[in-house]
Amino acid sequence: MARREDSTPLAEYRAKRDVQRTPEPGGDVSVPARHDGKLRFVVQRHRARRLHYDLRLELAGVFVSWAVPKGPSLDPSVRSLAVRVEDHPLDYGWFEGVIPEGYGKGDVVVWDDGWWEPDPTEERAADPAVALHAGELKFALHGTKLAGRFVIVRTGDDQWLLIKKRDEAAVPGWRAEDHPTSVLSGRTNDDVRAGRPGRWQAPTADELIALEALDANGTWEVAGRSIALTNLDKVLVPGRSGGEPIRKRDIVRYYATVGPWMTPYLAGRPLNLHRFPDGVLKGGFWHKAVPAHAPAWVRRWSNPLASAGTTRHYLVADGVPSLVWAANFAGLELHPWTSTAADPEHPSYALVDIDPGPSTKWEETLVLAKLFRTAVAHLGLVAQPKVTGQRGIQVWIPVRRGTTFTETSDFVEALSRTVGATVPELVSWRWAKQDRSGRARLDYTQNALSKTLVAPYSMRPAPGGPVSVPITWEELDDPQLRPDRWTIADVPRRLAEIGDPFTSLVGIEQDLPAL
Ligand code: MN
């Protein structure tokens, strides 16, 4: 297919893609500011009808793109065929996931990224746009996998050759297929296809030290991004029983540290932020829409189901940088959707919410949780509990893809009524709080489109910064267990010591039995 040089750069891209049906960016976000004034490049490994690598170079606000069937090579003796394809929006570069159908159907990982420049060894580097038009661009890449000087030369209509120049970065025999994983998540295309979580990039020790060294306002380089941080020494949360108050810097550090553990439960999901810019004592508010000033690399999702007057553009936090940005935005508490942006009408989990009433004792909440433990074990379901960081306990039950909200809601209602029937003195089925005589509610109504529950490892807005923490079923028998036992001060140590009990839920697809 011939590419028209005079077409509006993105018109061709938009024309090919039905943004209502495909989850990748529709190109409706603001054009990103350049990172340090440098031009970015990205290479995506894309298993469509045929495997290929999409090489994209930022130029004039878009990604100029080629499909490279065998991938780029660091071996100067290799001439890689590259087929020029239409320009892509910059935010497309960070897409990693499954394109369900139509144009580009297949799975995509971000195979490499970094920045590029016209070949610095050239006496007088030509304007890259002019060089491209003339059919030969000499450039240098600064990526994780790809580095050093390259040339890309047009040999026919859309056909080009990509060749590594001989320099220090050249590696004879180097093949892209020997290095298949994502530089963003560590995942392979198979991981992405199976919905497995990423081996997400954690901040380094040096990066965490750099955070402590920042003034109240400054730019933090973390997990591959530069993030502007503000008011880092502002106290947002009082200490617990006379303990140290919590500054914004502590919250930023917490979310950066637990980010790799949280991301499997946030990635690809619209996210609601509970924001407390003036601290938790002043009260907070829900923030759903992504603000216009958010950096361009913060992933957004445009909800095709949004009705007039409701939020359309949601934040999707898919790594440490987005969580750091959200924490700096005083989004202290994170509530993701039960479903993904790619498939908003089908939940990934059935959720049990044991919501204690004013007269419910902790021991009684535990009785209810243990009854759910017995029930899910009896049904042979994989499920895990988590304390909410406030007073309650939730149970998360992963479900097969394609399960409907009606099915999860009906199942959790039936399960909850069965549990509740064994301890009627503890549970109320009245809707209104004042009608419940202080008793607990087993709330199945969160199993609905766009409803949310607090994320695993989200902080709660209370003194000391308690955290909603996944636990093992055995921990229900630990006499030290409390719903707000762990705070942002000790969750990182717990994760380092015992890991994340919710890991056992990831990738599980199970049918909900009839009750
Ligand atoms: Mn492609």
Side-chain angles (χ1 to χ4, degrees):
M1 177 198 56
R3 185 180 169 281
R4 295 191 316 278
E5 289 290 339
D6 59 349
S7 64
T8 312
L10 294 179
E12 216 176 321
Y13 171 87
R14 290 204 180 94
K16 283 190 178 179
R17 181 165 279 113
D18 177 353
V19 294
Q20 302 290 308
R21 295 169 66 126
T22 55
E24 75 272 34
D28 56 351
V29 302
S30 54
V31 172
R34 288 175 188 172
H35 176 64
D36 298 340
K38 288 167 180 153
L39 295 165
R40 281 160 296 188
F41 86 91
V42 65
V43 181
Q44 287 161 309
R45 187 176 187 272
H46 182 184
R47 286 196 309 191
R49 216 166 20 166
R50 292 226 175 111
L51 170 69
H52 60 273
Y53 289 71
D54 290 299
L55 167 67
R56 309 189 193 282
L57 302 179
E58 178 183 1
L59 192 63
V62 296
F63 271 131
V64 177
S65 300
W66 292 263
V68 185
K70 297 199 168 158
S73 178
L74 294 175
D75 184 339
S77 72
V78 173
R79 298 150 73 86
S80 306
L81 172 67
V83 180
R84 179 92 183 258
V85 296
E86 70 277 11
D87 298 342
H88 276 62
L90 291 176
D91 58 310
Y92 188 89
W94 290 282
F95 174 72
E96 185 163 295
V98 178
I99 302 171
E101 52 196 306
Y103 175 68
K105 175 180 177 179
D107 40 64
V108 178
V109 300
V110 177
W111 181 82
D112 198 14
D113 72 346
W115 59 280
W116 74 277
E117 59 184 333
D119 187 335
T121 67
E122 289 291 297
E123 288 267 303
R124 212 167 57 83
D127 177 323
V130 175
L132 270 179
H133 192 75
E136 179 174 321
L137 174 67
K138 294 172 178 169
F139 60 104
L141 295 178
H142 304 268
T144 304
K145 294 171 184 168
L146 299 179
R149 294 158 47 228
F150 289 79
V151 62
I152 192 161
V153 191
R154 185 163 60 212
T155 58
D157 288 342
D158 288 335
Q159 297 221 357
W160 298 60
L161 288 175
L162 173 66
I163 305 162
K164 177 80 188 79
K165 303 288 265 187
R166 293 180 194 282
D167 60 14
E168 290 171 356
V171 182
W174 195 95
R175 299 183 323 148
E177 281 299 287
D178 295 332
H179 310 267
T181 55
S182 163
V183 291
L184 288 190
S185 65
R187 294 187 294 178
T188 62
N189 283 73
D190 281 338
D191 289 335
V192 166
R193 164 68 52 187
R196 285 193 283 270
R199 295 173 272 275
W200 306 92
Q201 190 177 357
T204 65
D206 284 348
E207 286 171 339
L208 290 171
I209 290 167
L211 173 63
E212 303 313 310
L214 281 184
D215 291 334
N217 300 298
T219 300
W220 190 26
E221 306 280 343
V222 63
R225 300 261 177 242
S226 306
I227 305 172
L229 301 179
T230 53
N231 298 317
L232 285 172
D233 293 320
K234 186 169 178 174
V235 169
L236 294 181
V237 185
R240 187 184 258 180
S241 44
E244 285 281 299
I246 296 171
R247 301 162 304 159
K248 199 207 255 182
R249 191 187 306 263
D250 303 314
I251 297 165
V252 168
R253 184 196 316 111
Y254 171 72
Y255 277 116
T257 306
V258 300
W261 298 94
M262 287 188 86
T263 303
Y265 315 109
L266 300 177
R269 294 171 193 279
L271 185 63
N272 297 344
L273 298 179
H274 200 185
R275 293 185 57 218
F276 297 82
D278 294 312
V280 300
L281 296 180
K282 290 271 167 64
F285 52 91
W286 288 100
H287 199 121
K288 296 185 182 179
V290 182
H293 61 74
W297 51 259
V298 167
R299 195 172 155 204
R300 293 124 161 111
W301 173 62
S302 176
N303 180 8
L305 308 172
S307 49
T310 64
T311 301
R312 180 166 284 270
H313 297 283
Y314 283 85
L315 166 65
V316 176
D318 49 10
V320 165
S322 331
L323 287 171
V324 167
W325 175 82
N328 184 66
F329 193 47
L332 303 193
E333 192 179 52
L334 311 179
H335 287 233
W337 282 22
T338 314
S339 57
T340 62
D343 192 7
E345 294 180 88
H346 296 103
S348 320
Y349 301 95
L351 301 166
V352 172
D353 188 13
I354 306 169
D355 183 13
S359 45
T360 307
K361 298 190 182 75
W362 170 238
E363 293 70 27
E364 294 168 344
T365 304
L366 281 175
V367 165
L368 289 165
K370 289 173 188 177
L371 286 167
F372 278 105
R373 173 172 69 183
T374 305
V376 296
H378 178 73
L379 294 168
L381 287 171
V382 175
Q384 258 344 114
K386 91 176 164 54
V387 293
T388 62
Q390 290 179 332
R391 297 185 61 227
I393 296 178
Q394 299 165 357
V395 179
W396 286 40
I397 308 165
V399 297
R400 184 177 303 289
R401 268 186 245 194
T403 303
T404 64
F405 281 110
T406 304
E407 288 167 334
T408 55
S409 178
D410 286 354
F411 173 80
V412 174
E413 179 178 5
L415 183 68
S416 299
R417 287 192 184 274
T418 306
V419 163
T422 66
V423 281
E425 70 282 9
L426 297 185
V427 177
S428 169
W429 297 101
R430 298 299 188 90
W431 190 260
K433 237 180 190 141
Q434 64 271 18
D435 296 342
R436 288 184 217 148
S437 322
R439 286 175 293 176
R441 179 169 178 227
L442 301 177
D443 185 4
Y444 50 87
T445 64
Q446 297 302 103
N447 293 288
L449 179 67
S450 84
K451 296 272 188 164
T452 64
L453 283 183
V454 66
Y457 304 109
S458 172
M459 182 183 142
R460 308 310 301 265
V467 172
S468 182
V469 175
I471 60 173
T472 65
W473 286 114
E474 293 70 39
E475 284 182 287
L476 289 178
D477 301 317
D478 180 347
Q480 309 228 301
L481 183 67
R482 294 289 179 278
D484 57 355
R485 175 175 178 184
W486 294 283
T487 70
I488 65 168
D490 41 33
V491 164
R493 192 182 324 120
R494 173 180 162 89
L495 281 168
E497 283 170 3
I498 75 152
D500 170 25
F502 265 23
T503 300
S504 60
L505 304 183
V506 174
I508 297 288
E509 300 215 16
Q510 57 191 351
D511 293 311
L512 296 172
L515 292 179

